Amino acid sequence: MNIPFYNEQVRLLFEAASWRNEWLDQLFNALYYFDTPYFLMILIPFVWVGFSYKWGMRLAFALIVNGLVNFHLKHLFNLPRPIVDYPDLAMFPLTSPGMPSGAAQLVVLLSGLLIMAWKSRWAWAIAVIAIPLISFSRLYLGIHYPMDILGGCIVGLAL
């Protein structure tokens, strides 16, 4: 498989992995669950009940569309994750295709929805912190190439 800028991406992955320590491992392992059904099963009712049923419906619809788009794009591109070439690099044994990063796509989409819902500087501040943190966590965990994350951000922005 021909991955664009492969050597540069691998260099960035190993650079991120060189930062590993106990504290960051715990932080980024916790952020891994941001892209799981468990998080979404908590988020939707929280927004529905705690904020507004209209935003709860919008969120549920957006997350369904997001998941379908991500699934089909992963299988359309069918690009491998770093674990294929570097099994010891990944902190989680994921086997699905890597492009686009579902977590990067999700955090950009949720950030956009948050900014639309709150219309405040706080929403922008949360987005400015969450997007790079979640995106970098995927490099740190060794589960995505940088181009996977860029692709996820672009798709999340488009959604």
Side-chain angles (χ1 to χ4, degrees):
M1 189 66 51
N2 189 12
I3 298 173
F5 306 105
Y6 180 77
N7 291 333
E8 293 81 2
Q9 291 191 71
V10 169
R11 185 180 51 74
L12 286 170
L13 278 172
F14 277 97
E15 178 66 28
S18 73
W19 296 4
R20 290 182 180 165
N21 63 54
E22 187 176 334
W23 187 85
L24 288 176
D25 287 355
Q26 290 176 358
L27 171 67
F28 291 130
N29 280 325
L31 289 177
Y32 171 77
Y33 290 99
F34 174 78
D35 188 32
T36 64
Y38 307 113
F39 172 75
L40 301 178
M41 289 188 316
I42 293 169
L43 181 64
I44 293 170
F46 179 79
V47 170
W48 190 299
V49 174
F51 188 67
S52 123
Y53 78 93
K54 287 183 182 179
W55 274 103
M57 290 289 290
R58 288 178 185 153
L59 178 63
F61 179 75
L63 292 176
I64 290 168
V65 170
N66 181 66
L68 290 171
V69 167
N70 186 263
F71 175 83
H72 289 294
L73 286 176
K74 279 185 183 291
H75 289 87
L76 175 69
F77 291 118
N78 200 30
L79 292 175
R81 291 179 183 265
I83 196 169
V84 171
D85 292 329
Y86 303 97
D88 295 336
L89 186 64
M91 295 178 77
F92 293 99
L94 301 175
T95 58
S96 64
M99 171 69 145
S101 166
Q105 183 176 323
L106 180 63
V107 73
V108 170
L109 174 67
L110 289 178
S111 294
L113 291 173
L114 180 66
I115 290 166
M116 285 174 48
W118 283 4
K119 295 178 178 65
S120 73
R121 288 186 178 153
W122 283 106
W124 280 97
I126 291 169
V128 165
I129 293 168
I131 292 171
L133 193 61
I134 296 291
S135 297
F136 179 75
S137 76
R138 284 11 202 194
L139 295 176
Y140 182 90
L141 296 171
I143 57 177
H144 278 294
Y145 288 107
M147 292 293 279
D148 300 344
I149 295 165
L150 178 61
C153 290
I154 292 169
V155 174
L157 187 60
L159 289 173

